[in-house]
């Protein structure tokens, strides 16, 4: 059997998928990567993990380190993973879902080691980011291995992206978000296992979690985060923007934050 090509593109993305994303705040998009791409990017991710694991943001952080290994802006360190972060299909699908021009905020590799015995607890992403005046943020969560429930797949709370008033939450505290927003306790949750090459997209304010990895193999995921192309800097501390000397209110127009499709137009 020959190599399978991706089955999803921005051009054939169903309108129902776009409506579902805008109603619920997340969506499953299968087959964003071809089988050949999965093999190439998975090998590059494994190699980058070996080379860069000492740069993990969770290293030495106790319980958080147990949850996952997180390496930010891998696209600046590895030419193969650069092509994944700047992948034209992923960026184009993100723009169709958001309905506005986007920039890349950053990428990160998220690895759950075998039998890590720790969930990533419910949280929203957007409260951690130094943004103001942004209309939309979303993340593409690309599975580089099969991610069944037992390996740490994602669970989302539909509609939770409407809660835009919450502080950053503790990823190691299973009560933190739900104490802040008790109504979410009673909302349904949707768990989405992924095949390698599949992707979920979720809104920056959509509450989500990931189960522990109970399997013998690491969970390898590559996440590309997109922001409104007109996003301004809020001066909130963040590891990506702290070294850049940005002025509060400045549009995040910088080589670290390329416009989606800029290298492909």
């Amino acid at each position: 059997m020959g190599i399978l090509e991706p089955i999803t593109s921005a051009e054939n993305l169903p309108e129902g998928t776009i409506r579902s994303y805008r109603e619920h705040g997340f969506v499953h998009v299968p087959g964003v990567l071809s089988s050949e791409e999965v093999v190439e990017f998975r090998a590059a991710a494994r190699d980058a993990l070996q080379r860069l694991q000492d740069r993990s943001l969770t290293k030495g952080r106790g319980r958080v380190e147990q949850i996952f290994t997180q390496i930010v802006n891998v696209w600046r360190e590895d030419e193969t993973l650069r092509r994944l972060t700047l992948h034209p299909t992923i960026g184009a699908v993100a723009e169709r879902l958001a309905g506005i021009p986007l920039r890349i905020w950053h990428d990160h590799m998220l690895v759950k080691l075998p039998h890590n015995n720790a969930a990533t607890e419910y949280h929203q992403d957007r409260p951690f980011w130094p943004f103001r005046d942004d209309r939309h943020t979303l993340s593409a969560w690309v599975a580089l291995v099969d991610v069944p429930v037992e390996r740490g797949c994602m669970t989302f709370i539909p509609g939770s992206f409407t809660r835009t008033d919450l502080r950053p939450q503790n990823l190691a505290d299973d009560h933190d978000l739900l104490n802040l927003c008790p109504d979410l306790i009673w909302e349904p949750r949707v768990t989405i296992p992924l095949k390698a090459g599949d992707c979920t997209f979720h809104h920056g304010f959509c509450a989500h979690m990931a189960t522990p990895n109970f399997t013998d193999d690491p969970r390898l995921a590559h996440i590309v985060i997109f922001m409104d192309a007109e996003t301004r800097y809020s001066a909130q501390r963040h590891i990506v923007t702290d070294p850049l000397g940005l002025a509060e209110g400045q549009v995040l127009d910088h080589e670290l934050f390329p416009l989606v499709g800029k290298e492909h137009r």
Side-chain angles (χ1 to χ4, degrees):
M1 182 180 294
I3 297 296
L4 297 176
E5 290 305 309
I7 61 174
T8 300
S9 68
E11 290 72 26
N12 68 21
L13 192 69
E15 288 297 326
T17 297
I18 299 171
R19 288 195 301 271
S20 181
Y21 171 79
R22 294 179 182 177
E23 177 180 355
H24 301 298
F26 65 92
V27 74
H28 173 202
V29 180
V32 170
L33 301 180
S34 69
S35 300
E36 185 176 37
E37 287 175 320
V38 168
V39 170
E40 180 185 20
F41 293 137
R42 180 167 56 219
R46 286 173 173 160
D47 177 68
L49 177 63
Q50 291 299 314
R51 289 186 288 109
L52 304 173
Q53 59 184 329
D54 285 346
R55 280 186 33 196
S56 173
L57 298 186
T58 61
K59 189 175 179 63
R61 293 179 58 192
R63 178 67 170 170
V64 177
E65 183 176 16
Q66 184 181 357
I67 295 173
F68 53 67
T69 298
Q70 180 186 23
I71 305 171
V72 169
N73 273 343
V74 186
W75 73 287
R76 306 285 290 186
E77 304 285 346
D78 186 279
E79 283 301 314
T80 301
L81 294 178
R82 178 185 180 89
R83 289 193 287 106
L84 176 54
T85 294
L86 301 178
H87 198 289
T89 298
I90 295 172
V93 169
E95 284 199 328
R96 282 211 66 194
L97 294 174
I100 60 172
L102 299 173
R103 295 182 184 277
I104 289 174
W105 163 224
H106 65 75
D107 69 11
H108 53 159
M109 182 188 302
L110 287 180
V111 179
K112 278 186 181 282
L113 297 176
H115 303 283
N116 73 318
N117 297 316
T120 310
E121 301 296 352
Y122 278 109
H123 65 283
Q124 301 169 310
D125 296 329
R126 172 60 179 76
F128 292 93
W129 299 334
F131 298 165
R132 82 176 207 200
D133 303 330
D134 55 306
R135 295 168 291 174
H136 202 107
T137 59
L138 73 162
S139 295
W141 200 100
V142 186
L144 297 180
V145 295
D146 290 347
V147 187
V149 173
E150 296 79 10
R151 192 165 289 147
C153 72
M154 300 270 275
T155 295
F156 302 93
I157 301 181
S160 55
F161 67 97
T162 60
R163 295 304 308 262
T164 62
D165 56 337
L166 304 179
R167 60 158 172 77
Q169 299 102 41
N170 183 350
L171 278 63
D173 182 348
D174 60 346
H175 298 296
D176 195 24
L177 174 62
L178 301 180
N179 284 340
L180 287 174
C181 197
D183 289 350
L184 293 180
I185 294 172
W186 308 107
E187 293 298 320
R189 291 95 186 272
V190 177
T191 299
I192 304 180
L194 299 177
K195 289 286 192 181
D198 288 0
C199 189
T200 57
F201 289 82
H202 67 270
H203 191 288
F205 281 109
C206 183
H208 58 284
M209 63 87 67
T211 54
N213 183 359
F214 297 108
T215 73
D216 296 332
D217 299 306
R219 187 209 71 185
L220 295 176
H222 187 89
I223 292 80
V224 186
I225 308 171
F226 300 93
M227 60 180 170
D228 178 356
E230 300 176 9
T231 298
R232 295 181 181 273
Y233 178 55
S234 72
Q236 178 182 336
R237 297 294 303 276
H238 192 279
I239 190 172
V240 171
T241 45
D242 287 352
L244 302 182
L246 300 172
E248 184 173 359
Q250 179 177 342
V251 175
L252 290 173
D253 180 4
H254 187 279
E255 65 174 357
L256 276 180
F257 317 123
L259 290 165
V260 167
K262 182 177 181 181
E263 296 192 5
H264 307 285
R265 289 171 181 164

